[in-house]
Amino acid sequence: MVTFVTTNPGKVHEAREYLDEPVEQRDFDYLEPQADELATVAAHGAREAYKQFQEPVIVDDSGLTIDALGGFPGPYSSYVEEHVCIERVWRLVSEEDNRSAAFRGVVAYCDGNPFAATPEPVDDGRRGQDLSAEKRDSATTDDQVADGAIPVKLFEGVVPGTIVAPRGDGGFGFDPIFEYDGKTFAEMETEEKNAISHRGRALAKFADWYEQADR
Ligand code: IMP
């Protein structure tokens, strides 16, 4: 059994579609660190949730990264959506030549045990905001154990796209200004979006590993 720590039942429903294992939802409120990377936020959440429940947990964090804005809003996506509004984000990006962006989702898994080193990023609990993906990938389980950190395994799903003027009535958040393959996410049916979404891609990677990994 895997416990998905989230307040959003929709995410749990989506996870069940990827995993053969039973997935249970639990709510748990913890302070999110201020960090430039979604992975840092998700890893912290997984550790806190594991400490709380003492059972295998997953936590996810996602957001929109805009290349011309140095990856902004990233982990600040929900704040920006609420307080700046997507129309103004579009206006900001419309002044740029490069309008490329990506939706990114990170699933963080923690069961208190170390993992065998794999090409997947393994969070070692010491990673600063500036640590590159390359260094992150080379972190080993031994480092983590020596460090006394609780190991967390990270799975990232990415959907590349382009920021456009708002179109479409569906979806939520930044969907109306994110275009993928000629359509904004808000112009897609839920099933169509879920089949390519960052969260789905991260969950699929997690499910692949979870079902065959020597945990
Ligand atoms: P969460 O981590 O999944 O709760 O997402 C944080 C924020 O990122 C949301 O409040 C949205 O602003 C943005 N976001 C994440 N996923 C999506 C998506 O699929 N479509 C639109 N916005 C998203």
Side-chain angles (χ1 to χ4, degrees):
M1 207 241 335
V2 187
T3 298
F4 199 156
V5 180
T6 175
T7 50
N8 184 340
K11 290 184 178 181
V12 181
H13 184 75
E14 206 175 337
R16 288 193 180 121
E17 286 177 15
Y18 289 91
L19 280 154
D20 292 338
E21 200 85 8
V23 183
E24 200 169 276
Q25 178 183 4
R26 280 193 199 251
D27 286 355
F28 173 50
D29 241 354
Y30 50 87
L31 268 186
E32 284 196 351
Q34 192 172 7
D36 289 352
E37 285 192 48
L38 293 161
T40 310
V41 178
H44 173 80
R47 285 199 180 90
E48 291 303 303
Y50 175 73
K51 282 192 244 166
Q52 173 75 11
F53 298 118
Q54 297 287 311
E55 61 194 24
V57 292
I58 52 173
V59 168
D60 91 324
D61 198 37
S62 50
L64 177 71
T65 56
I66 300 175
D67 294 342
L69 306 182
F72 184 80
Y76 310 106
S77 293
S78 60
Y79 186 88
V80 170
E81 180 202 330
E82 199 176 330
H83 299 283
V84 180
C85 302
I86 63 165
E87 179 67 44
R88 278 157 83 189
V89 172
W90 154 243
R91 272 189 263 142
L92 197 61
V93 179
S94 67
E95 294 170 9
E96 304 287 339
D97 293 331
N98 176 8
R99 296 178 188 173
S100 61
F103 269 125
R104 293 174 195 276
V106 176
V107 169
Y109 171 81
C110 183
D111 61 9
N113 295 314
F115 308 101
T118 70
E120 290 289 346
V122 178
D123 184 87
D124 69 358
R126 293 171 302 158
R127 195 181 60 232
Q129 295 175 17
D130 55 348
L131 193 59
S132 69
E134 197 183 320
K135 284 192 199 154
R136 190 167 74 218
D137 285 358
S138 66
T140 67
T141 304
D142 290 346
D143 291 339
Q144 301 158 34
V145 174
D147 225 27
I150 305 173
V152 171
K153 200 159 173 66
L154 302 171
F155 303 85
E156 190 180 41
V158 181
V159 186
T162 307
I163 301 299
V164 296
R167 295 196 322 257
D169 303 321
F172 71 100
F174 294 90
D175 283 350
I177 62 165
F178 185 83
E179 187 185 69
Y180 175 85
D181 210 12
K183 273 190 198 176
T184 68
F185 267 11
E187 291 175 317
M188 294 182 187
E189 298 297 327
T190 308
E191 270 179 20
E192 192 182 357
K193 178 190 159 183
N194 284 353
I196 51 171
S197 87
H198 45 299
R199 201 179 344 272
R201 288 178 184 190
L203 282 167
K205 278 191 192 174
F206 167 66
D208 272 0
W209 171 78
Y210 190 79
E211 268 142 30
Q212 46 80 25
D214 182 13
R215 298 190 298 279

